[in-house]
Amino acid sequence: MPDILSLSKLKILIISHNRIQYLDLSVFKFNQELEYLDLSHNNLEKISCHPTLNLKHLDLSFNPFDALPICQEFGNMSQLEFLGLSATQLQKSSVQSITHLHISKVLLVLGDTYGEREDAESLQDLKTQSLHIVFPTGKEFHFILDVSVGTTVSLELSNIKCVLDDNGCPYFENVLSKLQKNSRLSNLTLNNIEITWNSFFTILQLVWRTNIEYFSISNVKLQGYLDSRDFDYSDTSLKALSIHKVVHDVFSLPQGYVYKILSNMNIQHLTVSAAHMVHMVCPSQISPFLYLNFSNNLLTDTVFINCTNLANLKTLILQKNQLKELVNIVHMTQEMKSLQQLDVSQNSLMYDESEGNCPWARNLLSLNMSSNILTDSVFRCLPPQIKVLDLHNNRIRSIPKDVTGLETLQELNLASNSLAHLPGCGIFSSLSILIIDYNSISNPSADFFQSCQKIRSLKAGNNPFQCSCELRDFIQSIGQVSSDVVEGWPESYKCDYPESYKGTPLKDFQVSELSCNTALLIITIVVPGLVLAVAVTVLCIYLDLPWYLRMVCQWTQTRRRARNVPLEELQRTLQFHAFISYSGHDSAWVKNELIPNLEKEDIRICLHERNFVAGKSIVENIINCIEKSYKSIFVLSPNFVQSEWCHYELYFAHHNLFHEGSDNLILILLDPIPQYSIPSSYHKLRALMAQRTYLEWPKEKSKHGLFWANLRASINIKLMEKAAEIH
């Protein structure tokens, strides 16, 4: 291991489970800060010591050493807390170099050939608080090693096999009997035991009479038959017995006898787990049991029914059994007056409201019913003073709103159900911890933190959040609480849909205020629309749009009728050179001056009083006269602008100008018209007077001749010839 030399700051080195056969500890002479060295599970048979190491943890266990690999230099490891050793033979002299050390824990693994030469007193001078001895695997226990080390508080013995002697296990029983010498020993653990039923209870009885307070047996294989015998419960210091993972191959076992011995033990804590136990009887008298753990067995609803002798029991664990009816569990606990904690998780419990009330033990404070098949109705069958409730991994879809009596509940776990909404604290006024991750919550309410003023921890991640405006409000409410209140934020809170946001952390989800605020959105759309509508209305009134719409309608109807008339017939209707539009107040000038001066030159004039057809509307007559005339002459005066019919005639004539693409308007200004006197609806007249040349009627008679000459010249001569041909 030459590469180790350069690592001067190395503190921890683990090179276990390799094939190292030899180790020279001088290789670590430059690793002065090394504290933890694990060389277990190698092929080490020899080590070369070095005085410079001062380790806290040294593990040389599970190596094929013959003698204990304890160097003289190990005595200088004043900080040593853990020492792992291996050997096939033990001698008291082998440990002398470390007997002055107070080591917290020693692990001793005995090789397969151990027992051929054995020194029973070899460990007596060892000073350690915790001693773990691993005997050879699969070898019948015929050892005489004295394990009652005086300083040991906790002792663990592994690989105890004793099945060949029908009379029990005398060697191991002798080892246990010597434990009475150690008044400090309070914890005993036996691992990987293969013994008979009779030996099992013999060992149990032996330990019962020692100073041991906590006895644990795990990975037990029991054989043979069990003889009925009395068990002496007197004179014991034992407080807790734990039996875990038991298998046996006897099917005609008197189970009632076993259950009776266990149930009548005068200890405070009893655990029997993974033992294929199908039943447990009620103690025959008031039991001192405070804690019972019968998890991972085959118990049914009939266990402890009508049992009144467990009045002192505070904790009962029936996890992972075959319980089915919650009502039966309720009645079972009814007689357990002191029960505070109950665990019935990982069963098949269900509850039907029709089964009646649930008279739970009144002092029950913590209830674990996770991993069952309970539904929403379970909230109607809960203890009245419950503070901690675990219902995760059930079939709950919602919490009924009319549930009462849960004012004391402080911690609620509803993870891995089918809840669609984040519950408020209306019925949970004392709730401080809520776990509700892995449900079907898409839009948690933004009012949650306002409703749950006492909440100290919320775990609601890994839900299918719908990134929407409602979720935006919830995200903002998270930002207003302490960062350690929302557990798993932000990594466990991500958008699930819409697809475009899938996988986006909620903290990165952004949506505008406008798209989420309906009132603001309405104001944004309606107000500009309203302003536009008012503006258009005002503009329409100012420009007299309704009048123009009526005119367009009349014009469209007339043009539609005109399109139905054949072209030859239409040409035959061109009868006049000019249509004259004037105000009735200006009729004297028109009849005495205008008409005589034009008609004497064979110009045919169209006048409304003599050429309008009876039976047709005035508008239709106006349109027909304009269309049957080559020119439209308008006599402009202040009277003209006051006449609505004159306005109609001007409008249709101007429209015809653009429709026909010709210059067919002639304007005669009889009297000056001030701009301010022209109504706003006469904007076409304003435009025509500004853009087109008009003839002004002179007041001097000397200029009349020139006026008539200009007027007649403005009538196209070619048009006059066509008019003559038509006429």
Side-chain angles (χ1 to χ4, degrees):
M1 294 181 288
D3 295 338
I4 301 297
L5 297 174
S6 61
L7 303 176
S8 59
K9 300 295 182 180
L10 184 66
K11 290 188 175 183
I12 299 175
L13 177 61
I14 301 174
I15 45 178
S16 61
H17 295 86
N18 281 284
R19 299 178 182 178
I20 302 173
Q21 297 179 348
Y22 173 76
L23 176 65
D24 185 352
L25 291 178
S26 64
V27 74
F28 302 113
K29 63 183 177 180
F30 295 111
N31 308 110
Q32 294 300 311
E33 297 187 18
L34 187 64
E35 297 178 346
Y36 189 107
L37 178 60
D38 186 350
L39 289 161
S40 63
H41 297 276
N42 277 284
N43 295 325
L44 286 170
E45 296 180 359
K46 185 179 180 181
I47 61 172
S48 177
C49 301
H50 191 272
T52 59
L53 288 175
N54 194 9
L55 300 171
K56 291 183 179 180
H57 182 106
L58 175 60
D59 194 351
L60 298 171
S61 62
F62 296 97
N63 280 285
F65 291 109
D66 185 19
L68 286 174
I70 300 177
C71 301
Q72 189 70 29
E73 291 80 0
F74 283 10
N76 298 324
M77 296 184 183
S78 58
Q79 301 184 78
L80 193 61
E81 297 175 354
F82 176 90
L83 178 61
L85 301 170
S86 298
T88 57
Q89 57 177 317
L90 299 178
Q91 293 181 352
K92 193 173 184 178
S93 59
S94 300
V95 300
Q96 290 304 310
S97 59
I98 61 171
T99 54
H100 64 285
L101 298 178
H102 294 274
I103 306 172
S104 297
K105 183 173 182 178
V106 173
L107 169 62
L108 176 58
V109 179
L110 301 176
D112 292 340
T113 60
Y114 175 78
E116 295 176 359
R117 290 178 297 173
E118 194 173 10
D119 183 356
E121 303 294 323
S122 57
L123 301 178
Q124 289 303 297
D125 294 334
L126 197 63
K127 293 182 177 62
T128 179
Q129 290 184 347
S130 177
L131 176 61
H132 182 188
I133 301 176
V134 180
F135 290 96
T137 304
K139 194 171 183 179
E140 190 77 6
F141 196 95
H142 288 152
F143 311 117
I144 60 173
L145 181 65
D146 189 348
V147 297
S148 58
V149 178
T151 60
T152 301
V153 175
S154 178
L155 175 64
E156 184 172 352
L157 305 176
S158 297
N159 298 336
I160 311 299
K161 182 178 181 181
C162 192
V163 294
L164 298 180
D165 194 342
D166 294 335
N167 296 322
C169 192
Y171 282 92
F172 187 63
E173 291 171 13
N174 182 57
V175 169
L176 292 179
S177 63
K178 292 181 180 180
L179 295 180
Q180 298 183 29
K181 297 186 301 180
N182 183 3
S183 60
R184 300 185 60 181
L185 185 64
S186 61
N187 293 274
L188 175 62
T189 300
L190 304 181
N191 282 323
N192 302 324
I193 305 176
E194 187 175 354
I195 55 177
T196 64
W197 274 100
N198 287 324
S199 294
F200 177 79
F201 281 102
T202 299
I203 292 171
L204 196 57
Q205 187 72 79
L206 281 171
V207 173
W208 204 266
R209 294 168 182 166
T210 64
N211 294 321
I212 294 171
E213 296 180 354
Y214 303 94
F215 184 25
S216 177
I217 309 172
S218 61
N219 297 308
V220 184
K221 183 177 181 181
L222 297 174
Q223 299 181 12
Y225 296 93
L226 177 61
D227 299 330
S228 296
R229 64 178 79 175
D230 293 331
F231 193 90
D232 185 2
Y233 297 105
S234 62
D235 299 326
T236 184
S237 300
L238 198 65
K239 295 179 180 179
L241 171 63
S242 176
I243 304 172
H244 174 67
K245 203 170 183 179
V246 179
V247 295
H248 59 87
D249 54 8
V250 179
F251 299 100
S252 59
L253 182 73
Q255 296 184 30
Y257 170 72
V258 175
Y259 300 151
K260 181 180 178 181
I261 291 179
L262 293 174
S263 66
N264 288 318
M265 286 183 170
N266 54 336
I267 58 177
Q268 294 180 346
H269 294 74
L270 174 63
T271 297
V272 182
S273 62
H276 304 281
M277 188 167 60
V278 298
H279 190 59
M280 176 55 66
V281 297
C282 182
S284 57
Q285 57 186 0
I286 298 297
S287 173
F289 283 141
L290 301 178
Y291 175 97
L292 288 178
N293 183 348
F294 296 142
S295 61
N296 198 10
N297 282 292
L298 303 173
L299 300 176
T300 64
D301 300 352
T302 59
V303 66
F304 295 139
I305 289 295
N306 298 322
C307 180
T308 60
N309 289 331
L310 290 172
N312 297 315
L313 188 64
K314 292 185 177 182
T315 301
L316 176 60
I317 301 176
L318 298 175
Q319 179 190 71
K320 207 171 183 180
N321 277 276
Q322 295 187 357
L323 310 178
K324 294 183 179 181
E325 297 294 335
L326 181 59
V327 170
N328 292 337
I329 305 302
V330 173
H331 290 294
M332 174 192 70
T333 65
Q334 191 175 11
E335 300 297 333
M336 300 175 182
K337 305 299 183 182
S338 302
L339 189 65
Q340 295 181 359
Q341 183 175 349
L342 175 64
D343 185 349
V344 288
S345 61
Q346 299 186 60
N347 281 280
S348 301
L349 287 173
M350 59 180 64
Y351 173 68
D352 187 349
E353 292 183 66
S354 63
E355 294 174 345
N357 296 328
C358 297
W360 289 94
R362 294 199 58 82
N363 292 320
L364 191 58
L365 302 178
S366 177
L367 178 58
N368 187 345
M369 296 191 292
S370 62
S371 299
N372 282 284
I373 51 177
L374 297 167
T375 61
D376 305 357
S377 60
V378 71
F379 285 94
R380 307 188 190 281
C381 184
L382 294 175
Q385 302 298 322
I386 192 72
K387 290 185 176 181
V388 179
L389 178 61
D390 190 344
L391 288 168
H392 84 268
N393 193 27
N394 275 281
R395 299 180 182 179
I396 301 171
R397 295 182 175 272
S398 63
I399 300 176
K401 295 183 179 180
D402 57 346
V403 172
T404 58
L406 296 177
E407 291 80 8
T408 60
L409 186 63
Q410 297 176 2
E411 181 176 341
L412 177 60
N413 188 343
L414 291 170
S416 302
N417 278 282
S418 301
L419 288 162
H421 301 286
L422 184 64
C425 295
I427 57 176
F428 311 124
S429 56
S430 301
L431 192 66
S432 60
I433 299 175
L434 176 60
I435 303 173
I436 199 167
D437 51 343
Y438 293 101
N439 273 273
S440 301
I441 300 172
S442 57
N443 288 310
S445 173
D447 299 331
F448 172 78
F449 292 104
Q450 185 175 0
S451 169
C452 301
Q453 297 288 334
K454 297 182 179 179
I455 203 76
R456 292 187 292 105
S457 175
L458 171 66
K459 190 175 182 181
N462 300 294
N463 274 288
F465 295 111
Q466 180 179 1
C467 287
S468 60
C469 292
E470 292 79 5
L471 192 64
R472 172 180 173 271
D473 297 335
F474 175 72
I475 297 171
Q476 290 179 344
S477 67
I478 290 179
Q480 297 172 0
V481 299
S482 177
S483 58
D484 56 351
V485 170
V486 184
E487 292 191 30
W489 178 268
E491 58 273 6
S492 298
Y493 297 76
K494 297 181 180 180
C495 299
D496 191 67
Y497 49 93
E499 195 66 29
S500 58
Y501 284 107
K502 191 176 182 68
T504 303
L506 297 195
K507 69 179 182 65
D508 297 331
F509 171 64
Q510 301 290 336
V511 63
S512 67
E513 178 71 24
L514 180 62
S515 60
C516 290
N517 192 323
T518 305
L520 182 60
L521 184 62
I522 291 174
I523 291 173
T524 304
I525 295 175
V526 171
V527 170
L530 200 58
V531 172
L532 180 61
V534 171
V536 169
T537 302
V538 171
L539 190 61
C540 288
I541 295 173
Y542 178 77
L543 299 177
D544 202 13
L545 185 61
W547 182 85
Y548 284 106
L549 291 175
R550 292 198 302 271
M551 294 301 101
V552 169
C553 182
Q554 292 285 353
W555 176 263
T556 302
Q557 293 175 0
T558 304
R559 296 299 299 177
R560 187 181 297 112
R561 287 193 295 272
R563 281 197 295 270
N564 296 329
V565 181
L567 181 60
E568 296 78 5
E569 183 179 347
L570 182 61
Q571 290 176 340
R572 288 195 297 271
T573 62
L574 300 177
Q575 302 172 9
F576 307 101
H577 289 85
F579 166 70
I580 299 177
S581 176
Y582 60 93
S583 170
H585 296 287
D586 300 323
S587 60
W589 182 84
V590 172
K591 294 177 180 178
N592 297 329
E593 295 286 349
L594 180 59
I595 294 176
N597 281 287
L598 293 180
E599 288 187 338
K600 70 180 181 180
E601 299 293 337
D602 294 329
I603 295 175
R604 296 183 60 84
I605 300 301
C606 179
L607 296 173
H608 62 270
E609 63 264 28
R610 69 185 186 188
N611 295 110
F612 276 15
V613 178
K616 291 185 178 180
S617 68
I618 296 176
V619 173
E620 191 170 0
N621 273 311
I622 292 173
I623 294 173
N624 287 336
C625 284
I626 291 174
E627 290 184 339
K628 292 178 180 179
S629 303
Y630 287 103
K631 295 286 184 178
S632 294
I633 299 174
F634 291 86
V635 180
L636 304 180
S637 69
N639 299 319
F640 181 90
V641 300
Q642 300 302 322
S643 173
E644 185 176 358
W645 291 114
C646 290
H647 192 196
Y648 287 162
E649 293 166 353
L650 177 63
Y651 174 81
F652 289 120
H654 183 256
H655 186 62
N656 193 55
L657 165 67
F658 289 101
H659 178 74
E660 300 293 345
S662 59
D663 189 11
N664 63 345
L665 287 182
I666 298 175
L667 303 180
I668 297 176
L669 186 60
L670 181 62
D671 291 312
I673 305 175
Q675 286 288 328
Y676 65 82
S677 67
I678 302 177
S680 59
S681 59
Y682 278 45
H683 66 277
K684 288 193 177 298
L685 177 58
R686 292 173 180 265
L688 288 172
M689 292 184 67
Q691 299 172 5
R692 299 179 63 83
T693 302
Y694 53 83
L695 297 174
E696 188 174 357
W697 171 249
K699 300 302 181 181
E700 300 87 350
K701 289 187 178 181
S702 59
K703 297 179 180 179
H704 289 181
L706 180 59
F707 172 82
W708 297 119
N710 287 337
L711 180 57
R712 285 192 291 271
S714 63
I715 299 176
N716 193 292
I717 297 175
K718 188 175 183 180
L719 182 60
M720 290 173 59
E721 292 175 352
K722 288 183 179 181
E725 292 173 1
I726 293 172
H727 178 65

